[in-house]
């Protein structure tokens, strides 16, 4: 079956408009259905206990102190600490039981017999299930007692400090702020046990699992899990059928002429673009060491290899888990984005055989801006989280406090401006192609992919610290998920297509068809697929069927990408020793493999609604995230870095030995970390959540269990290999930059250059 490029382009536009309509309506509907924050909550005597403003202040405290990167809220955030929603609900149940035990029997709950406990359990459950929403909420005496006890628990834990939990003293500056944070956590617990009007389930679809409060999996989670399993089989079959039916070219190194790197003209702007690589390497090294520190904190929460006690240094206070986790996440995004930016600036001259005037100056300017934003953003996070930025500055210049979007709003605007500037530089470089090709040409695709990354990033600016957390999370996931499942995947297939063309393994027109075909399914499933993040956070339940269907359909493009990786591997295996880009090609293949494993296999499993109900916010998500983020996007970025280094390094200086060692250290290390340590911990959490409660699966008692601690130590070999691979990469980058080729262009006209001549000729539509 032959498919024309123009047909694919029309389908891609139709899919984009469809996604825009669905998600636009979804945004409006989500605003209408967001859980209310009661204006006042009063006790039995009518005295005000909490106001809406106090709840909003508590959300500010939560963000300002980086608590989303210590624990999680509504299941979203870090997994080191408790989930504050589940914890507040669990504590509320416990204290209400204690209140009734003292009131009715004048004894502690633990001292009662089974029959009396059953009576109290039933009373507490009935009282929580009977909660109703409104502008004015009336607490029972038991609820008031529980609310006050939870407040004091949070003062002790997050203001006074609890090193057993890895919480340094003064995490929250004052007791009053800690009480407001408790008010906020208790409000999220309240929407988790209060029925949404007109339905038979709570605002959070009865999440978290807590039978004592009446929270059990809704029927929809089972129904749509079964439907998802059916769609899985159908989706896999559709993916294979499409790949076999649609005539798409495969890379082939047999009988072709691949220009040697030394025969390719090197432009000034390209040498500047390669400078993005050492900057990314430095960020990468810092990230992996922070990852090792985070892993260690799980086995020693109150110190640093015993050195704190030995030398009297408060390591946890100086560099708490929340800041280390924030930097670890942001550095991961930064080094991958830095390499992608560099690759996007390197490729145009390679394919067009020319470079605009002053391109090197502008590329250096962008690199400087990246460094400024990186240093300013990371520094602002530390200053903001430690209370050095007062007023509105804590979230404008400091720590906005939302996972993946921690940097202050000003730095986010700077990143957005950087994306726009990058797109302008890429457009300048690709102008000869843009002028010759149709709007669905390969150069246009790169700009569309980069533009979609910038466009989606703006969703992170549609809220402030005062915005309802449910609405905040709605927009935050637009950035986090749609980047990954939409824009980043689109960028992957576009950049790989460009790279294969530059290697002379695919014709430009063939690559355009392949990119559009895969982008059609990536965008078609990944954008609406974001809704699987909305199931348990207070969003309306319409997202359950949408998220189930489209998350499952995300398998189709991943099947296609896997087939591409297999065919690329075959091309590499038959290339012989003469093929000069075998190593960059290997990174591209590894990216396709890990994309399927991390995003496909592990992603599908945890996105089954019934599994996700218990799994949401556990170590199974950690395994999925590491395999997908580092495995898919990280390996592609590293492959592009290797490709740039291969072209710009002198023949006598070039050696693949260290990079090959790094390649295998990363692959083996990632596999060991994910499959030997992280996933087993996740499965134990899943079992604990299923047999006890979600709060138990996220408790300190679970993490301190002997088997879990052993599995945490089992991360050591994998983490060590990843660190070794990263250090080898960093050293090798410096070594190769010292042996960089001299600029040779402008020397030959574009039509005299082997790559540009072919690409420009194919672009004359």
């Amino acid at each position: 079956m032959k498919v024309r490029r123009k047909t694919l382009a029309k389908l891609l536009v139709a899919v984009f408009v469809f996604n825009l309509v669905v998600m636009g309506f979804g945004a409006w509907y989500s605003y209408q259905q967001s859980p209310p924050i009661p204006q006042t909550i009063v006790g039995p005597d009518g005295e005000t206990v909490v106001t809406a403003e106090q709840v909003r202040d508590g959300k500010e405290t939560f963000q300002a102190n980086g608590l989303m990167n210590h624990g999680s809220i509504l299941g979203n955030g870090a997994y080191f600490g408790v989930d504050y929603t589940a914890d507040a609900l669990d504590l509320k149940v416990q204290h209400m039981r204690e209140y009734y035990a003292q009131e009715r029997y004048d004894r502690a709950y633990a001292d009662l017999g089974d029959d009396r406990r059953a009576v109290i359990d039933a009373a507490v459950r009935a009282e929580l299930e009977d909660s109703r929403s409104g502008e004015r909420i009336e607490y029972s005496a038991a609820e008031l007692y529980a609310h006050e006890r939870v407040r004091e628990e949070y003062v002790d834990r997050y203001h006074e400090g609890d090193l057993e939990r890895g919480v340094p003293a003064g995490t929250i500056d004052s007791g009053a702020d800690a009480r407001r944070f408790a008010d906020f956590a208790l409000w999220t617990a309240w929407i988790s046990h209060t029925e949404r009007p007109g339905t038979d389930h709570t605002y959070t679809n009865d999440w978290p699992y807590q039978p004592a409060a009446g929270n059990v999996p809704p029927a929809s989670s089972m129904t749509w899990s079964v439907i998802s399993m059916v769609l899985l089989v159908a989706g896999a079959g559709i993916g294979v059928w499409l790949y076999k039916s649609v005539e798409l070219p495969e890379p082939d190194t047999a009988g072709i002429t691949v220009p040697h790197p030394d025969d390719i003209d090197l432009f000034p702007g390209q040498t500047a673009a390669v400078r993005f690589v050492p900057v990314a390497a430095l960020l990468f090294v810092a990230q992996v060491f922070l990852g090792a520190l985070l892993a260690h904190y799980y086995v020693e929460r109150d110190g640093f290899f015993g050195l704190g006690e030995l030398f009297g240094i408060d390591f946890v206070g100086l560099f708490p888990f929340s800041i280390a986790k924030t930097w670890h996440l942001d550095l991961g995004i930064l080094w991958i984005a830095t390499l992608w930016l560099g690759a996007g600036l390197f490729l145009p001259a390679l394919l067009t055989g020319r470079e605009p005037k002053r391109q090197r100056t502008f590329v250096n300017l962008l690199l400087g801006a990246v460094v400024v934003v990186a240093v300013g953003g990371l520094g602002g996070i530390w200053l903001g989280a430690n209370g050095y930025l007062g007023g509105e500055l804590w979230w404008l210049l400091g720590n906005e406090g939302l996972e993946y979007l921690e940097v202050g709003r000003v730095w986010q605007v700077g990143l957005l401006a950087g994306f726009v500037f990058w797109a302008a530089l890429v457009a300048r470089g690709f102008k000869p192609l843009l002028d010759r090709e149709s709007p669905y040409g390969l150069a246009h695709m790169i700009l569309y992919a980069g533009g979609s990354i910038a466009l989606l990033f703006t969703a992170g600016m549609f809220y402030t610290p005062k915005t309802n957390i449910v609405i905040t999370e709605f927009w935050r996931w637009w950035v986090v998920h749609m980047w990954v499942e939409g824009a980043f995947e689109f960028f992957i297939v576009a950049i790989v297509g460009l790279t294969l063309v530059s290697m002379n393994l695919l014709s430009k027109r063939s690559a355009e068809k392949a990119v559009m075909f895969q982008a059609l399914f990536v965008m078609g499933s990944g954008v609406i697929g974001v809704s699987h993040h909305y199931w348990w956070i207070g969003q309306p339940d319409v997202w359950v069927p949408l998220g189930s269907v489209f998350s499952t359909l995300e398998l189709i493009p991943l099947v296609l990408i896997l087939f591409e990786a297999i065919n690329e591997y075959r091309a590499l295996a038959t290339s012989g020793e003469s093929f000069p880009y075998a190593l960059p090609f290997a990174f591209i293949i590894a990216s396709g493999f890990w994309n399927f494993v991390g995003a496909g296999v592990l992603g599908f499993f945890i996105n089954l609604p019934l599994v996700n109900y218990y799994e949401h916010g556990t170590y199974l998500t950690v395994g999925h995230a590491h395999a997908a983020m580092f495995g898919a996007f990280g390996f592609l970025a590293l492959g592009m870095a290797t490709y740039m280094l291969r072209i710009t390094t002198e023949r006598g200086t070039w050696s693949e030995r260290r990079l090959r060692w790094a390649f295998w250290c990363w692959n083996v290390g990632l596999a060991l970390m994910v499959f030997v340590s992280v996933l087993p911990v996740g499965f134990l959490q899943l079992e604990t959540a299923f047999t006890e409660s979600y709060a138990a699966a996220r408790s300190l008692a679970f993490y301190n269990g002997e088997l879990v601690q052993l599995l945490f130590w089992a991360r050591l070999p994998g983490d060590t290999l990843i660190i070794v691979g990263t250090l080898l990469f960093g050293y090798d980058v410096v070594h190769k930059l010292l042996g960089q080729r001299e600029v040779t262009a402008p020397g030959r006209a574009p039509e005299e250059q082997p790559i540009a001549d072919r690409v420009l000729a194919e672009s004359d539509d």
Side-chain angles (χ1 to χ4, degrees):
M1 178 174 63
K2 290 186 177 181
V3 180
R4 299 175 60 198
R5 290 177 298 160
K6 185 176 292 187
T7 302
L8 288 172
K10 291 178 179 178
L11 288 173
L12 193 56
V13 171
V15 166
F16 176 79
V17 172
F18 174 74
N19 283 328
L20 189 65
V21 170
V22 171
M23 295 309 297
F25 175 78
W28 173 82
Y29 190 64
S30 294
Y31 269 89
Q32 303 302 312
Q33 298 295 316
S34 61
I37 301 177
Q39 288 302 309
T40 57
I41 298 177
V42 300
D45 59 357
E47 184 178 352
T48 299
V49 180
V50 186
T51 66
E53 190 61 27
Q54 288 174 330
V55 172
R56 285 189 281 268
D57 288 344
K59 177 175 178 280
E60 283 198 51
T61 298
F62 162 73
Q63 290 183 223
N65 293 282
L67 289 166
M68 197 175 195
N69 272 320
H70 185 275
S72 58
I73 197 78
L74 293 165
N76 294 325
Y79 311 142
F80 182 67
V82 298
D83 178 81
Y84 308 114
T85 303
D87 180 62
L89 181 61
D90 189 58
L91 289 173
K92 187 173 183 177
V93 168
Q94 291 180 33
H95 290 305
M96 288 179 70
R97 285 173 170 176
E98 288 296 339
Y99 177 87
Y100 283 125
Q102 291 292 336
E103 180 194 52
R104 298 182 181 184
Y105 306 113
D106 197 26
R107 287 188 179 183
Y109 177 80
D111 296 335
L112 298 178
D114 290 343
D115 54 343
R116 289 183 172 180
R117 285 189 190 179
V119 171
I120 290 177
D121 292 350
V124 170
R125 177 169 176 165
E127 191 168 320
L128 293 177
E129 288 182 323
D130 195 44
S131 297
R132 293 291 180 268
S133 61
E135 291 292 310
R136 186 175 185 271
I137 303 300
E138 294 184 8
Y139 267 169
S140 67
E143 285 181 293
L144 175 61
Y145 174 82
H147 194 110
E148 293 294 343
R149 298 289 81 71
V150 174
R151 277 178 170 172
E152 295 313 307
E153 170 73 18
Y154 275 39
V155 170
D156 291 342
R157 192 188 298 175
Y158 300 108
H159 172 58
E160 300 295 338
D162 187 343
L163 287 182
E164 186 182 10
R165 296 178 179 273
V167 181
T171 294
I172 296 179
D173 289 336
S174 68
D177 285 343
R179 291 184 182 90
R180 297 292 79 80
F181 171 50
D183 293 339
F184 168 62
L186 282 160
W187 173 76
T188 66
W190 176 78
I191 66 173
S192 77
H193 69 71
T194 301
E195 282 194 359
R196 183 184 292 274
T199 72
D200 60 354
H201 54 74
T202 70
Y203 283 101
T204 61
N205 284 312
D206 294 319
W207 188 92
Y209 178 59
Q210 177 54 279
N215 281 13
V216 294
S220 61
S221 65
M222 173 60 79
T223 301
W224 287 102
S225 293
V226 173
I227 293 173
S228 294
M229 292 298 294
V230 175
L231 286 174
L232 169 66
V233 178
I238 291 170
V240 174
W241 174 78
L242 284 171
Y243 188 83
K244 295 295 185 182
S245 300
V246 178
E247 295 183 11
L248 293 176
E250 298 178 2
D252 184 11
T253 63
I256 64 172
T257 302
V258 179
H260 193 276
D262 292 342
D263 297 331
I264 297 174
D265 285 345
L266 190 61
F267 289 81
Q270 290 180 303
T271 61
V274 173
R275 292 175 191 149
F276 281 73
V277 179
V279 172
L282 182 62
L283 297 173
F284 190 13
V285 169
Q287 192 219 1
V288 296
F289 275 109
L290 281 171
L293 174 63
L294 294 174
H296 179 74
Y297 270 143
Y298 275 92
V299 296
E300 188 189 6
R301 289 174 178 252
D302 57 352
F304 183 65
F305 295 99
L307 297 177
E309 185 176 353
L310 181 64
F311 295 108
I313 300 174
D314 182 12
F315 284 103
V316 177
L318 289 173
F319 204 58
F321 183 94
S322 58
I323 292 180
K325 170 72 166 18
T326 300
W327 281 9
H328 177 70
L329 281 180
D330 288 355
L331 285 167
I333 296 171
L334 281 170
W335 76 256
I336 291 173
T338 299
L339 289 179
W340 283 7
L341 292 175
L345 295 168
F346 185 88
L347 287 171
L350 197 63
L351 274 68
T352 64
R354 64 174 291 278
E355 184 174 87
K357 293 180 179 180
R358 302 184 66 192
Q359 185 79 342
R360 176 168 60 182
T361 301
F362 290 130
V363 171
N364 285 331
L365 182 62
L366 179 60
L367 179 59
V370 168
V371 173
V372 169
V373 170
V375 174
L378 294 174
I381 286 169
W382 192 87
L383 292 171
N386 284 281
Y388 291 106
L389 299 174
E392 297 290 300
L393 292 180
W394 71 264
W395 69 277
L396 291 174
L397 288 174
N399 173 38
E400 191 165 344
L402 298 170
E403 190 184 31
Y404 290 104
L405 295 175
E406 291 90 353
V407 296
R409 186 64 55 87
V410 170
W411 305 113
Q412 290 181 26
V413 173
L415 287 170
L416 181 60
F419 276 124
V420 174
F421 187 36
W422 172 84
L425 293 181
V426 172
R428 289 179 85 234
F430 274 131
K431 192 174 187 305
L433 286 181
L434 295 171
D435 290 343
R436 291 170 179 245
E437 68 181 18
S438 61
Y440 47 81
L442 201 53
H444 284 79
M445 287 292 171
I446 288 293
L447 292 178
Y448 298 154
S452 63
I453 291 174
L455 181 64
L456 290 174
F457 193 71
T458 61
M461 302 178 188
F462 292 170
Y463 51 79
T464 71
K466 290 289 189 181
T467 304
N468 187 314
I469 186 64
V470 175
I471 298 301
T472 298
E473 284 295 274
F474 176 86
W475 291 118
R476 186 179 74 89
W477 280 115
W478 269 51
V479 179
V480 178
H481 176 100
M482 289 191 196
W483 261 19
V484 174
E485 304 294 346
F488 277 15
E489 293 278 7
F490 187 9
F491 193 87
I492 277 183
V493 296
I495 205 79
V496 169
L498 265 180
T499 305
L500 294 178
V501 169
S502 70
M503 291 179 180
N504 205 17
L505 300 181
L506 276 181
S507 71
K508 181 174 176 293
R509 294 190 181 190
S510 296
E512 287 167 353
K513 184 182 292 187
V515 168
M516 281 190 288
F517 183 71
Q518 294 184 32
L520 176 64
F521 290 99
V522 165
M523 300 296 286
S525 59
V527 173
I528 300 177
V530 68
S531 52
H532 70 249
H533 294 290
Y534 298 158
W535 295 341
W536 324 120
I537 66 169
Q539 290 288 337
D541 53 4
V542 67
W543 294 116
V544 175
L546 283 175
S548 301
V549 170
F550 282 91
S551 290
T552 303
L553 293 179
E554 288 174 19
L555 180 71
I556 296 177
L558 295 177
V559 169
L560 298 176
I561 292 172
L562 178 64
F563 271 103
E564 284 296 314
I566 292 172
N567 287 324
E568 288 160 7
Y569 172 76
R570 289 172 179 166
L572 178 62
T574 59
S575 63
E577 296 296 326
S578 61
F579 184 54
Y581 306 113
L583 188 55
F585 212 47
F587 277 100
I588 294 174
I589 294 165
S591 172
F593 169 78
W594 281 108
N595 198 13
F596 180 77
V597 172
V601 177
L602 299 180
F604 171 78
F605 169 70
I606 66 172
N607 285 336
L608 284 170
L610 189 58
V611 174
N612 194 259
Y613 178 85
Y614 295 101
E615 179 279 334
H616 181 48
T618 68
Y619 250 61
L620 290 176
T621 303
V622 177
H624 155 68
H626 280 79
M629 189 69 181
F630 177 47
F633 306 124
F635 272 112
L636 176 64
L638 292 166
M640 297 311 302
T642 306
Y643 184 49
M644 290 188 286
L645 291 171
R646 182 67 184 92
I647 291 175
T648 58
T649 304
E650 287 280 4
R651 185 193 298 265
T653 306
W654 176 260
S655 171
E656 293 186 352
R657 184 169 55 87
R658 284 186 293 267
L659 286 176
R660 284 194 178 276
W661 273 104
F663 175 82
W664 288 112
C665 281
W666 285 323
N667 275 283
V668 175
L670 181 60
L672 289 175
M673 181 185 72
V674 170
F675 295 107
V676 174
S677 175
V678 173
L679 288 182
V681 171
F683 283 116
L684 289 174
Q685 276 187 295
L686 186 64
E687 181 182 29
T688 302
F690 182 75
T691 57
E692 299 179 43
S693 69
Y694 181 79
R698 290 287 303 276
S699 67
L700 189 62
F702 171 83
Y703 285 129
N704 286 341
E706 290 185 9
L707 179 55
V708 173
Q709 286 289 302
L710 179 63
L711 289 171
F712 284 149
W713 279 109
R715 278 192 61 164
L716 187 60
D719 287 358
T720 301
L721 283 174
I722 291 174
I723 292 172
V724 169
T726 307
L727 291 175
L728 279 173
F729 172 69
Y731 174 78
D732 195 67
V733 166
V734 174
H735 183 266
K736 285 179 168 51
L737 288 178
L738 293 175
Q740 192 176 60
R741 292 168 54 202
E742 295 292 332
V743 171
T744 59
R748 296 176 289 178
E751 58 269 16
E752 296 174 343
Q753 299 180 42
I755 298 175
D757 178 51
R758 174 174 51 84
V759 172
L760 292 173
E762 289 186 54
S763 298
D764 291 323
D765 290 336

